[in-house]
Amino acid sequence: MVEKGCRGDGLDFGKLVYQLACLFRLDFYDYVHILGSDEKDFADRLSKLRMQKGVSARDMSLSIGQNPGYINNIETGKALPSMTNIFYICSYLNVTPMDFFDFDAARPRDMDMICNALNKLTDSQFDNIKEIIGELARLNGR
């Protein structure tokens, strides 16, 4: 079976930037700007992914070992997470940092599931799925 690959073929740009940020002692502000986003993008993405998971800001805060208002403060722009907490947040949401900062990806967990499933298909099955997706995208005008 041919390895199909998906979404960067395993290269985690977010993790690479995080490692460079640690090396050069960059703060959260520098980190999100390297990734081409800003604090509002981060807050909006956090809120969207948290709601997709179906958890309250309070429950998520407590689950990652923070005070009850921690996530709410980030989502309302009153606070920024530390570099370490970005990874706790991503881990809790079951997304990679790359997926988190990919603001165009509406459903990163579903994309990962689909990519994993595609890698298990035969070449013929993969080609059939590719045609179906191409036709659906064409019909949607994309």
Side-chain angles (χ1 to χ4, degrees):
M1 185 176 344
V2 177
E3 190 70 16
K4 311 303 185 294
C6 251
R7 306 178 70 213
D9 292 331
L11 175 62
D12 190 336
F13 181 70
K15 189 170 184 177
L16 174 64
V17 172
Y18 173 75
Q19 290 168 341
L20 290 172
C22 290
L23 177 65
F24 293 107
R25 294 189 170 89
L26 300 177
D27 62 13
F28 173 82
Y29 180 81
D30 295 322
Y31 181 69
V32 296
H33 284 87
I34 287 171
L35 292 170
S37 60
D38 62 28
E39 295 85 353
K40 178 153 180 20
D41 291 333
F42 185 90
D44 291 346
R45 182 68 163 169
L46 174 58
S47 178
K48 181 179 182 177
L49 293 174
R50 177 186 57 75
M51 287 189 287
Q52 281 180 358
K53 187 167 179 150
V55 296
S56 70
R58 182 180 191 284
D59 287 345
M60 182 175 171
S61 296
L62 295 172
S63 293
I64 62 170
Q66 299 297 319
N67 68 63
Y70 181 73
I71 295 298
N72 185 51
N73 287 339
I74 294 170
E75 290 181 353
T76 58
K78 296 176 186 172
L80 296 173
S82 68
M83 296 291 287
T84 301
N85 283 345
I86 290 172
F87 279 86
Y88 288 131
I89 289 168
C90 290
S91 177
Y92 179 81
L93 295 171
N94 298 317
V95 297
T96 67
M98 182 176 157
D99 289 335
F100 188 97
F101 287 100
D102 183 358
F103 300 118
D104 294 328
R107 299 167 60 177
R109 287 186 302 275
D110 290 338
M111 289 296 294
D112 285 340
M113 186 275 304
I114 290 168
C115 286
N116 289 333
L118 286 173
N119 282 325
K120 296 174 183 171
L121 300 179
T122 66
D123 287 342
S124 174
Q125 292 169 325
F126 182 85
D127 290 339
N128 289 335
I129 296 296
K130 187 171 95 174
E131 286 181 35
I132 292 168
I133 291 170
E135 182 63 17
L136 289 172
R138 186 188 68 73
L139 292 171
N140 285 334
R142 293 189 173 182

